[in-house]
Amino acid sequence: EVQLVESGGGLVQPGGSLRLSCAASGFTFSSYWMHWVRQAPGKGLVWVSRINSDGSSTSYADSVKGRFTISRDNAKNTLYLQMNSLRAEDTAVYYCARQYYAFLADYWGQGTLVTVSS
Amino acid sequence: EIVLTQSPATLSLSPGERATLSCRASQSVSSYLAWYQQKPGQAPRLLIYDASNRATGIPARFSGSGSGTDFTLTISSLEPEDFAVYYCQQRSNWPTFGQGTKLEIK
């Protein structure tokens, strides 16, 4: 059974940093591109970032470019999102997701809440 | 950025009825349009991809159609578990989602 479990969310002050993790199991993690998608409270979905299977290629939404870094450790079956210079508008539930086809996600984690507030 | 506009914002129907949800793109996305279902407190669930292909395990009562800029998700006969928020998503270039249609019980 495919499982994606996010962790690392919490309350952080504006300008602060946080690193999210997503532990994958039930599939060959190293074969799949992976993504982060976020959802502000009561709002819609926004694609944040993606990484290819070996970690050599990444892409970001303009809203997080230069502040967020996606990475992965295929030996640990874990996806990461390093978030720096956090802003109030980054407050959201962050989901990791497995790619089915390009920018199409077939499995999602349950999400981890990031709250940026003073 | 490609903007997706979903209509209606809220759809009130009864179990057994047919639901028709629309998604319009600000420019052509070819057939690169997907539909997701999201229930409160849960992650999105992929229903339809590339406009008309059902994802694995999705019941046949869900169908999708359209191409270019106009797309439709149809639920032929609503089951109680179908009441949720539905999002369309394009992957023609950097992915974007519609704002969602809430399907509620009448």
Side-chain angles (χ1 to χ4, degrees):
Chain A
E1 179 193 4
V2 172
Q3 284 200 314
L4 298 168
V5 180
E6 302 93 336
S7 61
L11 176 64
V12 61
Q13 292 189 337
S17 298
L18 213 54
R19 188 176 84 154
L20 306 183
S21 299
C22 171
S25 61
F27 66 101
T28 305
F29 180 71
S30 59
S31 297
Y32 286 83
W33 292 36
M34 297 294 295
H35 301 261
W36 288 99
V37 179
R38 71 184 181 185
Q39 186 172 34
K43 302 296 184 181
L45 298 156
V46 175
W47 220 286
V48 174
S49 183
R50 68 90 181 153
I51 188 168
N52 70 344
S53 56
D54 67 6
S56 62
S57 175
T58 59
S59 296
Y60 300 91
D62 287 343
S63 58
V64 306
K65 203 172 294 183
R67 300 188 299 122
F68 289 13
T69 302
I70 189 172
S71 62
R72 64 192 296 160
D73 185 334
N74 285 343
K76 294 183 177 180
N77 290 341
T78 302
L79 175 72
Y80 302 101
L81 186 67
Q82 177 67 43
M83 303 186 296
N84 299 329
S85 303
L86 282 161
R87 307 166 180 166
E89 54 265 35
D90 296 319
T91 294
V93 173
Y94 285 74
Y95 297 100
C96 69
R98 187 183 83 166
Q99 177 167 301
Y100 184 48
Y101 292 126
F103 290 114
L104 188 70
D106 61 349
Y107 284 94
W108 299 60
Q110 285 305 299
T112 187
L113 176 63
V114 172
T115 303
V116 184
S117 175
S118 55
Chain B
E1 175 182 306
I2 296 176
V3 177
L4 299 179
T5 303
Q6 292 187 240
S7 60
T10 303
L11 185 58
S12 300
L13 294 170
S14 301
E17 289 192 294
R18 181 184 187 90
T20 302
L21 288 67
S22 296
C23 178
R24 175 164 289 179
S26 59
Q27 63 189 74
S28 176
V29 299
S30 185
S31 294
Y32 297 121
L33 195 286
W35 292 92
Y36 294 85
Q37 176 193 70
Q38 188 178 34
K39 297 180 180 179
Q42 296 186 17
R45 174 193 181 197
L46 178 64
L47 299 175
I48 301 287
Y49 66 95
D50 293 353
S52 61
N53 297 290
R54 270 191 305 276
T56 303
I58 301 303
R61 65 181 181 272
F62 291 92
S63 63
S65 63
S67 66
T69 61
D70 290 294
F71 300 87
T72 301
L73 173 70
T74 302
I75 310 172
S76 59
S77 179
L78 286 165
E79 297 288 342
E81 62 268 27
D82 297 337
F83 293 91
V85 178
Y86 291 82
Y87 293 96
C88 58
Q89 177 236 323
Q90 64 80 21
R91 61 188 189 98
S92 175
N93 55 19
W94 185 262
T96 54
F97 291 88
Q99 82 281 12
T101 290
K102 182 180 181 181
L103 179 56
E104 64 176 25
I105 299 177
K106 187 174 182 179

